[in-house]
Amino acid sequence: MTKINLGIVFGGKSAEHEVSIMSTTSALKAIHRDNYKITLFYITKDGKWHVCEDIESIGSLSNGGRPIESEVLNQLYLQDVILPIIHGPHGEDGSLQGLLESLEIPYIGSKVLGSAVCMDKIVSKKILRQAGIHTVDYFELYESITEDNYKELLSFIKTYPVFVKPSNMGSSVGITKVHNESELKNALELALKYDRRVLIEEGVDAREIECAVLESNGILVSGVGEVIASNDFYDYEAKYVDDGEEKMQVPAKDISDDLLESIRSAAHKAFLEHGCNGLARIDFFVEKGTNRVILNEINTLPGMTQFSMYPCLFEEAGIAYGDLIDKMIENVIDHD
C-alpha cells in the first residue's frame, strides 16, 4: 500500500506553543507509522516555519527571516493531508486554515469560518444563544478599562466568583477566577494582554463535563468525561503541568441516560451551528441541584496530550488514539 504523505504542523506563535509540542509528541507515539510518510512542520514562537526531522531538533532551529521560505512551501505542496496540532491564535482561529485553503492543501479540522467563530468566545456565545443552547450570562469589554465600562461591569456582576477571559485564547491561558472586586482589575489587565476583547462570565456551581465529536461517515459524539480540578479551577497548571490523569473521570459518574442524551444532543447541534468539520471537543457545565446543561465552549483543535480529554473519550468509546487519527485523515481524503 502506498503511504499517505502526512504533514504535521505544530508549535506556533500563541501562548499555547508548549501545549502544541506536548500534543504532537503524544500523537507521534500513537500514530500508525506504517500508513504514513510523516513530515514535521515546526513554527517558532515568532512565526518562522521549519521542516524538521524530529521534535528533539526544534531547539536548534532559527528565528527571524521570512515566515515561510521556498523549501518549506515546496514540502507543504508534497503533502496529501495536513494534521494541524496547533492551538490558540494563529493556528486554531482560521488563520492557518486560510493559508492551507489558499494553497489548496487538504487539512484536518474545521474550515476558516468554523475555526474563527469557535475560537472567539464572544461570537460563539451569540451563535449559541441564537440556536437556543444555554450559555452562562456574560459581559463584553473592549480595548481598555474605562470609567464607564467598569461601572457597567460592576452593575452586571450580581455575585462572585466571575471568570475573566480573553475572547480568543485556549488552554485556560489568561483566565482568572475572580472572587471579589479587589481582584477584578488585575484580572482584566491580564486578559487584555492576550486579546483586545475580554469576556466576563458569571460563575456557576457546576460539574465540568466534556464530550468529543468526530466526523467519520457521519458525526460521532462520544460519551462524557468530567474534569476534576485540584486547583481553584481547571487552569493551565492543572491541564498540562500537574499529573493530568488525576484530573479527569472518563466516563463521568452519576450521569443519567436523559442527562447524557441532553449533553450529546447539544454537542451535535453546536457542532453544526458553528459550521465545524472533522473534530471538536465541546465543554459543558452541568449545574448542581438543577442538572441544567450549559455549553461553555467549543475547541476545534483540542489538546492531544496523553492526559487530554479528547483522545481519552474516544478510547473509552472503543477507538484507540492511532485509529482516531486514521479516521480523521480518511474523512479528509474521502471529502477532498
Side-chain angles (χ1 to χ4, degrees):
M1 184 181 71
T2 303
K3 288 188 176 184
I4 293 169
N5 292 317
L6 174 66
I8 298 178
V9 178
F10 71 108
K13 296 174 67 174
S14 86
E16 299 179 77
H17 183 98
E18 284 74 19
V19 181
S20 171
I21 294 171
M22 287 188 278
S23 289
T24 303
T25 301
S26 294
L28 288 171
K29 290 177 181 176
I31 201 164
H32 297 140
R33 297 291 188 117
D34 290 344
N35 297 342
Y36 309 104
K37 179 182 178 183
I38 297 173
T39 303
L40 297 178
F41 296 89
Y42 172 65
I43 306 174
T44 66
K45 289 183 178 181
D46 72 345
K48 174 81 171 180
W49 287 59
H50 293 273
V51 178
C52 56
E53 293 183 2
D54 51 51
I55 289 181
E56 289 71 24
S57 67
I58 64 176
S60 63
L61 299 175
S62 64
N63 291 316
R66 293 187 301 179
I68 304 180
E69 302 287 355
S70 58
E71 58 268 23
V72 174
L73 193 58
N74 290 337
Q75 285 294 320
L76 279 171
Y77 277 124
L78 294 176
Q79 307 311 308
D80 297 312
V81 61
I82 294 290
L83 170 58
I85 307 184
I86 188 164
H87 311 301
H90 306 289
E92 196 174 349
D93 60 357
S95 349
L96 175 61
Q97 291 73 18
L99 171 65
L100 296 173
E101 290 281 351
S102 297
L103 298 176
E104 299 185 351
I105 300 172
Y107 60 93
I108 290 166
S110 289
K111 306 305 179 187
V112 175
L113 178 63
S115 299
V117 297
C118 289
M119 187 70 194
D120 191 301
K121 296 179 178 66
I122 292 172
V123 172
S124 177
K125 282 191 171 3
K126 292 178 179 179
I127 292 172
L128 291 170
R129 288 192 167 184
Q130 183 70 25
I133 299 172
H134 291 300
T135 66
V136 297
D137 286 337
Y138 65 94
F139 182 91
E140 307 168 33
L141 184 143
Y142 295 91
E143 295 280 1
S144 62
I145 306 165
T146 66
E147 184 177 344
D148 287 343
N149 65 24
Y150 191 70
K151 185 177 179 180
E152 289 178 26
L153 173 57
L154 291 179
S155 297
F156 161 78
I157 298 173
K158 306 304 182 195
T159 59
Y160 290 93
V162 296
F163 286 87
V164 176
K165 305 177 178 181
S167 191
N168 286 272
M169 188 54 67
S171 293
S172 299
V173 173
I175 295 179
T176 306
K177 184 177 182 179
V178 174
H179 302 86
N180 51 61
E181 187 182 342
S182 65
E183 299 175 359
L184 186 57
K185 280 196 174 177
N186 285 340
L188 294 170
E189 288 168 357
L190 174 64
L192 284 166
K193 290 180 180 178
Y194 294 99
D195 195 353
R196 62 191 294 188
R197 301 164 65 247
V198 173
L199 178 70
I200 300 92
E201 296 178 335
E202 68 169 355
V204 290
D205 184 17
R207 300 170 67 183
E208 294 187 48
I209 302 293
E210 300 181 350
C211 71
V213 180
L214 173 68
E215 195 172 4
S216 176
N217 295 319
I219 296 174
L220 308 179
V221 182
S222 73
V224 298
E226 182 168 9
V227 173
I228 305 170
S230 58
N231 294 354
D232 195 24
F233 70 101
Y234 195 43
D235 59 8
Y236 184 95
E237 294 290 316
K239 287 180 178 177
Y240 302 112
V241 180
D242 297 339
D243 186 6
E245 58 192 348
E246 295 183 1
K247 310 302 186 300
M248 297 188 310
Q249 180 71 52
V250 179
K253 295 181 178 179
D254 301 320
I255 299 288
S256 69
D257 290 344
D258 286 346
L259 180 56
L260 175 61
E261 185 53 36
S262 294
I263 295 167
R264 295 179 74 246
S265 176
H268 186 276
K269 184 175 183 180
F271 188 86
L272 294 177
E273 290 285 347
H274 284 72
C276 295
N277 301 91
L279 73 157
R281 192 195 73 233
I282 304 184
D283 303 346
F284 292 89
F285 296 127
V286 175
E287 190 173 43
K288 293 178 181 178
T290 67
N291 273 350
R292 182 167 64 115
V293 175
I294 304 165
L295 200 152
N296 181 27
E297 63 183 47
I298 303 170
N299 299 270
T300 54
L301 289 176
M304 290 287 192
T305 73
Q306 59 182 320
F307 302 136
S308 295
M309 187 71 84
Y310 188 87
C312 290
L313 283 168
F314 274 114
E315 186 168 353
E316 174 66 23
I319 303 175
Y321 196 165
D323 296 332
L324 187 61
I325 294 173
D326 287 343
K327 289 180 179 296
M328 294 176 188
I329 293 167
E330 288 166 7
N331 182 64
V332 174
I333 292 172
D334 288 347
H335 290 89
D336 182 39

